[in-house]
Amino acid sequence: MGKKRKHSETQVIEPAKKDESETERPKRTLLGWKDKPEEKETESLPPHQGGFRNKEKVLVTCSRRINYRYRHLMLNLVSLLPHCKKDSKVESTSSKGATLNELVELKNCSSSLFFECRKHKDLYLWMVKCPSGPSVKFLVNAVHTMEELKLTGNHLKGSRPLLTFSANFDKDAHWKLLKEMIIQIFGTPKDHRKSKPFYDHVFVFSIVDDHIWFRNYQVSVPHNETDKMARGGLDKMTLVEVGPRFCLNPIKIFGGSFGGPTLYENPFFISPNQIRALEKKQKAGKFAKKVKAKTRRKMHELSNPLEPDEFADMWKE
């Protein structure tokens, strides 16, 4: 058998206590030696340490009896927004606001895009912040989906977009409100689980003739081995359109969700029903002109009868 160890050999050697008066050794970092302790800023804290985290989620749905072109436009927007959630169709009635608010709450969303189709012709878009508002009602014109355009641009699905706005968004108060709502709804939150952590396309919102025009462009960068772009070399970047295209004509801005007090009303808005009624009146005016011309011709013939012809009955015998 082996020899037993002595009791003195088995005692644990205690580490030497540090002298409190001794200066601490500076910490070494990737950027060098740090002498001063870091000052924590509460504003720039990451989300897991108590900082702000954007948890924006958008519910995208439509009304029943929607046209196929407008349904394709809605699906294009769903593919562009990784932080959105789809839901089944909702009946377009007077009580749709309460139904949609309940759906938004069930889906744990904070905003809503509701496509409302009327008469299989007119498309209205509700852009709403739930549950307290505000909400905006648009008339959607000049719709062109990705399937129709067949453009050459292409970007990764789920990547974050850059939002650009024209300078006239800062002129009036209602345009500023619309700009803030568009930023919150169309901007993809950072570190979203379905998004990719880089930018490769641009959403362009521009105001022309009191209408908001939407375009989507891919940021194309040369990536050949021989022609690599240096950091900051924006002169070699090009924009290639991807789609879809549409135009938003603001009708009203409400203080609540899907209703409430009217904050702004567009004085230049003309309903598509009025436009169709005017077109029908113009067509009806053409028909009325033809009828009047026929009656005038008959009256003229009655007032100016032809003289009897002497040779009219010559060949009847």
Side-chain angles (χ1 to χ4, degrees):
M1 293 179 65
K3 294 181 179 180
K4 292 184 179 179
R5 291 185 181 180
K6 294 181 181 180
H7 183 68
S8 59
E9 293 179 1
T10 58
Q11 289 180 353
V12 179
I13 300 171
E14 296 181 358
K17 294 183 179 179
K18 291 184 179 179
D19 190 4
E20 294 180 357
S21 61
E22 186 182 353
T23 58
E24 292 184 1
R25 187 177 179 182
K27 293 180 180 179
R28 187 174 184 179
T29 62
L30 294 174
L31 302 176
W33 297 92
K34 270 193 178 179
D35 297 331
K36 297 180 180 180
E38 293 182 357
E39 294 180 359
K40 295 183 179 180
E41 297 180 359
T42 55
E43 295 179 359
S44 60
L45 283 175
H48 62 274
Q49 294 182 5
F52 172 74
R53 183 174 183 180
N54 187 4
K55 295 184 178 181
E56 184 75 26
K57 294 177 186 176
V58 185
L59 177 70
V60 181
T61 183
C62 64
S63 63
R64 295 189 181 277
R65 295 174 292 277
I66 192 171
N67 196 355
Y68 72 96
R69 292 183 70 244
Y70 299 150
R71 188 178 72 252
H72 289 174
L73 174 67
M74 182 191 70
L75 294 176
N76 291 158
L77 283 181
V78 168
S79 64
L80 291 177
L81 303 177
H83 60 290
C84 76
K85 293 184 178 181
K86 278 198 310 179
D87 206 302
S88 56
K89 296 179 181 178
V90 178
E91 192 67 41
S92 179
T93 58
S94 58
S95 61
K96 64 179 180 293
T99 307
L100 286 166
N101 283 329
E102 189 176 352
L103 279 175
V104 169
E105 188 178 357
L106 288 172
K107 290 284 185 178
N108 196 19
C109 297
S110 56
S111 306
S112 175
L113 290 175
F114 177 59
F115 292 85
E116 184 179 5
C117 186
R118 294 183 182 174
K119 298 186 177 180
H120 297 277
K121 299 176 183 178
D122 307 326
L123 180 65
Y124 295 90
L125 173 62
W126 285 86
M127 193 180 293
V128 184
K129 294 294 293 180
C130 297
S132 59
S135 56
V136 191
K137 186 179 182 182
F138 296 99
L139 175 67
V140 186
N141 294 321
V143 174
H144 299 282
T145 61
M146 290 183 184
E147 291 79 10
E148 289 178 358
L149 295 172
K150 295 182 180 177
L151 296 169
T152 56
N154 186 19
H155 59 78
L156 287 174
K157 187 175 181 180
S159 58
R160 299 179 68 193
L162 291 169
L163 302 180
T164 60
F165 297 88
S166 57
N168 44 6
F169 266 99
D170 297 326
K171 285 185 178 180
D172 298 324
H174 64 279
W175 291 123
K176 290 180 182 178
L177 175 62
L178 290 177
K179 178 181 177 181
E180 184 61 32
M181 290 186 67
I182 289 171
I183 288 173
Q184 292 186 20
I185 291 176
F186 284 87
T188 304
K190 187 181 179 182
D191 298 330
H192 192 270
R193 60 189 182 87
K194 290 186 180 179
S195 67
K196 296 181 175 61
F198 46 82
Y199 301 91
D200 66 344
H201 63 288
V202 184
F203 288 167
V204 181
F205 298 91
S206 52
I207 299 174
V208 181
D209 297 333
D210 292 327
H211 290 59
I212 300 175
W213 297 80
F214 173 83
R215 294 290 183 270
N216 179 25
Y217 295 98
Q218 174 201 358
V219 181
S220 180
V221 182
H223 53 82
N224 298 328
E225 291 294 331
T226 58
D227 189 17
K228 281 190 177 180
M229 190 184 71
R231 178 173 289 185
L234 299 177
D235 52 342
K236 293 185 179 180
M237 287 186 181
T238 55
L239 296 179
V240 185
E241 189 173 356
V242 182
R245 297 177 180 174
F246 57 88
C247 171
L248 300 176
N249 185 9
I251 303 172
K252 281 185 179 182
I253 300 177
F254 300 99
S257 177
F258 292 100
T262 303
L263 304 180
Y264 170 77
E265 185 172 1
N266 188 2
F268 304 107
F269 174 72
I270 301 174
S271 172
N273 291 331
Q274 295 179 359
I275 296 172
R276 284 192 289 267
L278 290 173
E279 290 176 354
K280 283 184 180 180
K281 282 184 180 179
Q282 289 177 357
K283 291 179 181 178
K286 289 181 182 178
F287 179 73
K289 285 179 183 178
K290 289 180 182 179
V291 173
K292 286 181 182 179
K294 284 182 180 180
T295 53
R296 261 191 272 115
R297 178 65 182 170
K298 287 182 180 179
M299 295 296 292
H300 179 73
E301 289 177 355
L302 292 173
S303 59
N304 301 306
L306 294 173
E307 296 180 357
D309 190 5
E310 298 177 0
F311 304 103
D313 300 331
M314 187 174 72
W315 303 105
K316 288 185 179 180
E317 294 179 354

